[in-house]
Every structure is written in C-alpha cells, then in structure tokens.
Amino acid sequence: MTRRTRRGQKAGSGMAGAFTPDALEVAARHVVVGGEHVASFAVVGYPREVYPGWLQPLLSYPGRVDVSLHAEPIDPVTAADRLKKQLARLESGRRNDDQHGRLLDPQVEAATEDAYDLAARVARGEGKLYRTGLYLSVHAPDAAILVDEVAAVRSLAASLLLDAKPATYRSVQGWVTCLPLGLDQLRMRRTFDTSALAAAFPFTSPDLPAPDPTSLEAPSGVLYGYNLGSQGLVHWDRFALGDQVHNHNSVILGRSGAGKSYLVKLEVLRSLYRGVEVAVIDPEDEYRRLCEAVGGAYIHLGANGARLNPFDLPLHTRADGRRTAPKDALLRRSLFLHTVLTLLLGGEPSAVERAVLDRAITGTYQRAGITADPRTWARPAPILADLRDVLAGLDDPRAASLADRLHPYVDGAFAGLFTGPTTTRPESHLVVFSLRDLADELKPIGTLLTLDAIWRRVANPANRRPRLVVVDEAWLLMAEKAGAEFLFRMAKSARKHWAGLTVATQDSGDLLGSDLGRAVVANAATQILLRQAAQAIEEIAATFGLSAGERQFLLSAERGQGLLSSGTQRVAFEAIASDIEHQLVTTAPGELAAYAAESPDTGDDIYIDLDDTDTGVAAA
C-alpha cells in the first residue's frame, strides 16, 4: 500500500518551504521525494577493528549516498554499570558452556576479550562510550536504477564488514534520519568507544595530508602507490619540510621477498624525474639495469682497477675551477681513517694502539708532503701501503703488530681495493656503487668507503641541490659499530646539505637491536614498513607503536604492500609501476629471462630520457 501526501500552499510559504518537498510518496522500502527514489538502511553489524577513515569508500561512492552518523555520549557511571552487566552475561554464558562440555564460541570469546579491554580503558579514563547509529540513504531517479544502486551499496558495505538492513515500513523515518537535522528516528544504535567513533568520523581520511591543504595544485613528491584504505593515490614529498616532515631521511624495513628493493628502485627512478640527484650503494647488483636505462654512472667495486683511497682529502671544485676544502679537512680525514682502520683490524683498537695509529696517520701524510698548511692539500694523497710502511718503521712492537694485521689489505688477498689512488670520481645524476663482487670480508669497508665518497659530493657547498643517498641492505654496515656510527652521523647531518638518506634492510634486528640503529630510525621522518616475519613483529610493533590491526596487516601483507608513516600520519599502500618501470626494477628470475628472450641480440634496450618531461610523467 502506498500513501501520498502533498503540502498545501500555506505550508510551502516562508523559509521552511524552501526545504520541504512538493510531494512525498511512501512505500514499504523506499520513498519518492520530489520525483527521486530514496531507500534507507541502518547498519546493525560492524567489523571488530577499524582504521582512521574506514568509511571513506562509502563517502566516495560514485553514486549519491547520504551517510548519517549519530552519536550520543553515555554517562561514565552508566557506562561502567552496563559494561559490568555485559561482562557478567558473557562470563555466565562461557561458564555454562564449559560445564555442559560445549565447544567455545569464537565470537563470544572475541566479544569477552573486547569487553574486558574496553572496561579497563573506561575505568582508567582513557576513553568514553557513545551510543552511535550509522545510516545510509541511496538516491536514484527511478525504481529500476534504485534496485541496482541498493545492491551496489550493500555490496560495498559488506566488503567493509558492515551489515546494512533496510528500513522496511520505516522508510520515512530512515529518510528523515539521514537529513541534516540531527534527528535519529530509527534508533538502531551500537555502543562505540572514543577511538572507534573518532575513526568513523566522516571528515577523517586515510590519505596523507597535503603540505598546503588550501592549494589546488597537483600533489608534489613521489608516487608510492595507491591507498588501500581509500580510492586515492599515495604521493609523498620527502623534501617538503613541514609539520610532518622534519628531515629528508627514510627507513624501509621488510622481510626478504616483501618488495623492499622494488619500492626503493621505484622511488629512485621517480626522484630522478623530479631532478633529484641519487647515489646508490648496491650490494647485490640489482640497480645496474636501471642505471644503464637512465644513463647513470655504474662503478663496479671488486673489478680490476676499481679503487677507493681512504686517504683522499675532501677537496671541492668551485664554479671558477678553484679547489677548496674545509679548514679542518685534514683533521676530519684523520678521524675518518680511525673508523676505516677499526673495520680493517676487525675490532676496536686499544687506547695505546689508537695513539700509535694516530701518530702513524700523521706521519704518513707528512711523508707525502701534506701538512696542516692548506696549500699542501692538493698534493697526491698517500695510500694504505704507506701507512703500513710507517707503522713497520716505528720502533714499537704494537706498531709492528698493527702493520702485520694490515698485510692482507696491502699485499694479501684483499689488496685490490687499496693498492693505489682512487680511480674514479663519477659525475652523474645517478651513481651506483656495486659491491656484489667484493669479498664478504670487504663489504662493510666497501660500504663505508662508498658512503664517504658520496658524502664528499653531498657536502660540497659549491653544488647544492636535492640529493638522495640509498644504502640498500644496510645491515652490512650496521653489523659493525664503527660503520653504524658513521651512518648515524650521516643521518643527522644530511638535512643540512639538502640530502636525504634512505636506509633499507631486511634484517630489522641489526637495525633495531642497537642504540645507534634505533637512533638512525628516529632520525628518519619517513618510515616504511613492508611485510614482516612473525619472529620480528613484536620488536617492530614496539618500536613503531603499531596497533593490533597494523601488526596483522604487516604479517599478511602481499608483496609491495606496506605502511608509510610520517609523524602522526600512517597510511597503508600498495606499490604500483608502469610496464616500463616494472621491467627496469623487477628482479624476478623468470621475468628477466623472458625479457632477455624477447631481445636476445640487444639485451635490455630500454632507455629513459630524463630531460623529456612527458616520458617521466607517463612512466610515473
């Protein structure tokens, strides 16, 4: 049966008439308002855990859907009394089932656990309880389209674990409830606590905030992927200092196979589109194809003739061609050599040995004609063999012992990296230092020397520009105290030189298991967590303050899915790449073999012109 009402002339006059429909046709499950069909629903079932902005899919539905959220606070005394009665009912049911030998109901167990947790938080004053009603009104131009729209909205609600029931024979009350009048005439309510209600607030969003919310410009920064909690994309600009971004550093943690290096290479490529200069320490030779595609410089440490001399002074070439250096360049280089020797000697020297090394370092520079006079700093730097000879010439048994311990790196099996002056000083928008062919014993010192070479370029005051320094598999350096200290100093100083440090590792224990590692994480404004192993999730959760839902997400995340966190903002995303980008950054053996089979003569023939802005935008 359908009832039709029409307002009279008198009722339509005045301000109220502007908001009153000309006609209202009422049916069992919908109303027709001014020729538009409206069906209303009340949500009676909710998910156990929610995240901020979890109602965003309903708010961004392409059709017209009104979402109405009614909240009424509950007096704390009344809330405590109701929780006590609810716990009594749940416990009574559990004990009754146990006495009769029935199997435990998982839903009852979950409800009991949640009730205890909620009661504890209410008792401590950490939250309050609210009577909350969530209602939906679906609009359509005719009855046939309304049926389709209702089915689509209910399916969307079901995907969010919401049970939406139609307001049968209460269609007018449902329509009025969804109007902006503050009237809840359906009164299908559920008790929410403060955090759950805040997450359901219609104006919250799972997207990262824009640096300038009032700007109409397109989001700046790098595209990381699409948001798993909304229909938006995740753009993040590490160089846009503000309330959320205090430095340009980033840390990426993920278990093997989680897509860590894939994401890092995507960020490197898309940063190059923006004119950011990038230097990469690549322990597994994974960045070579990307480097060749963009015309970067590739340095293969471990190959014949590839050397880095730790004695080189940090000289900078100015625009007029003159070479300059900081006033304390020689002192800084001597201190850095102590770090290098600590790694080479396999442990921290004693105080007496450190004093012997300090005298030997000074003597080595003096034999090369380099003194405290800056005019001598442009002379050829000594090499490690010169230091060994100075130590051997000292009349001290400790110096002789140190010289013997340096023998493998001067004349022995590990001498290739130190047998002469530095062979290359690359100048390119992308520089990749490959460490794959270095012996395992040399990879920590190789990482340290490449970081030093990169830092000298970053710290050049005559060539300031945004730069990224990527340390992949940082556990190689964090395993040694001297290397960890150097990385920590770089993390603290990078922002002053317009540079960002990216630390990526699959062994989170080496990074979070030491004070220096945790300090590196604390100095990273951007933190990205990919899939984690069950053995490491407790430490990860404690360090980053993860909720139970976020922990479960990281344990079950697919490859390329993760959490991007900066300040108080945290967003779940999945990395996306174009076909060309995917070919450049993937390391899947099957895919690489297929690409090689497609072009057996030329091999990887992809080339990206970074000066062509259209190419960069299309690939991103």
Side-chain angles (χ1 to χ4, degrees), residues 5-90:
T5 60
R6 184 175 299 273
R7 67 178 174 89
Q9 182 68 29
K10 185 176 181 180
S13 60
M15 182 63 68
F19 302 97
T20 306
D22 293 332
L24 181 66
E25 184 177 336
V26 182
R29 292 195 174 187
H30 72 274
V31 295
V32 181
V33 183
E36 188 175 48
H37 291 64
V38 182
S40 300
F41 299 86
V43 176
V44 297
Y46 296 85
R48 186 185 179 194
E49 292 186 359
V50 294
Y51 49 85
W54 65 287
L55 290 178
Q56 181 67 24
L58 287 175
L59 301 178
S60 58
Y61 180 75
R64 182 183 173 187
V65 176
D66 296 335
V67 181
S68 179
L69 186 67
H70 296 259
E72 178 185 342
I74 301 178
D75 178 71
V77 177
T78 304
D81 183 61
R82 290 185 177 182
L83 281 173
K84 183 177 180 181
K85 293 180 179 179
Q86 180 67 13
L87 283 172
R89 285 193 294 267
L90 291 172

Side-chain angles (χ1 to χ4, degrees), residues 23 112 117 152 155 163 197 203 211 246-247 254 273 275 317 362 368 402 411 413 426 482-483 488 493 514 526 578-579:
T112 304
D117 179 66
S155 298
D163 185 10
L197 180 60
F203 299 107
H246 304 289
N247 56 62
Y273 295 152
T317 303
T362 303
L402 291 171
D411 299 316
F488 170 63
S493 305
S514 65
T526 303
S578 66
D579 292 339

Side-chain angles (χ1 to χ4, degrees), residues 32-268:
V32 181
V33 183
E36 188 175 48
H37 291 64
V38 182
S40 300
F41 299 86
V43 176
V44 297
Y46 296 85
R48 186 185 179 194
E49 292 186 359
V50 294
Y51 49 85
W54 65 287
L55 290 178
Q56 181 67 24
L58 287 175
L59 301 178
S60 58
Y61 180 75
R64 182 183 173 187
V65 176
D66 296 335
V67 181
S68 179
L69 186 67
H70 296 259
E72 178 185 342
I74 301 178
D75 178 71
V77 177
T78 304
D81 183 61
R82 290 185 177 182
L83 281 173
K84 183 177 180 181
K85 293 180 179 179
Q86 180 67 13
L87 283 172
R89 285 193 294 267
L90 291 172
E91 284 293 347
S92 176
R94 293 174 63 187
R95 294 180 182 181
N96 183 65
D97 291 341
D98 184 61
Q99 290 176 357
H100 290 82
R102 302 190 187 99
L103 295 176
L104 296 177
D105 187 345
Q107 294 184 352
V108 174
E109 292 296 313
T112 304
E113 181 181 342
D114 292 343
Y116 272 112
D117 179 66
L118 185 58
R121 283 189 280 120
V122 170
R124 292 193 296 265
E126 296 178 358
K128 295 183 178 180
L129 297 186
Y130 300 82
R131 299 184 186 92
T132 305
L134 179 60
Y135 310 100
L136 311 174
S137 285
V138 183
H139 297 252
D142 56 54
I145 297 178
L146 180 65
V147 172
D148 296 335
E149 290 290 329
V150 165
V153 170
R154 295 191 70 178
S155 298
L156 177 60
S159 69
L160 300 174
L161 301 182
L162 296 175
D163 185 10
K165 298 295 185 182
T168 306
Y169 294 111
R170 302 181 67 188
S171 53
V172 174
Q173 290 86 343
W175 170 62
V176 172
T177 298
C178 290
L179 292 176
L181 302 175
L183 300 176
D184 184 0
Q185 297 191 354
L186 291 179
R187 303 190 68 81
M188 302 289 291
R189 299 182 177 183
R190 182 76 170 266
T191 301
F192 279 26
D193 66 337
T194 304
S195 59
L197 180 60
F201 195 66
F203 299 107
T204 61
S205 172
D207 293 313
L208 293 171
D212 182 8
T214 64
S215 175
L216 299 178
E217 297 181 357
S220 62
V222 170
L223 171 65
Y224 282 87
Y226 65 86
N227 195 325
L228 294 177
S230 72
Q231 297 180 347
L233 298 175
V234 178
H235 283 84
W236 189 243
D237 190 355
R238 290 166 53 179
F239 291 93
L241 294 176
D243 294 336
Q244 298 295 330
V245 186
H246 304 289
N247 56 62
H248 314 309
N249 299 334
S250 171
V251 61
I252 302 176
L253 302 180
R255 62 179 298 179
S256 178
K260 169 177 52 62
S261 295
Y262 190 97
L263 179 62
V264 173
K265 283 179 277 190
L266 277 180
E267 183 182 21
V268 166

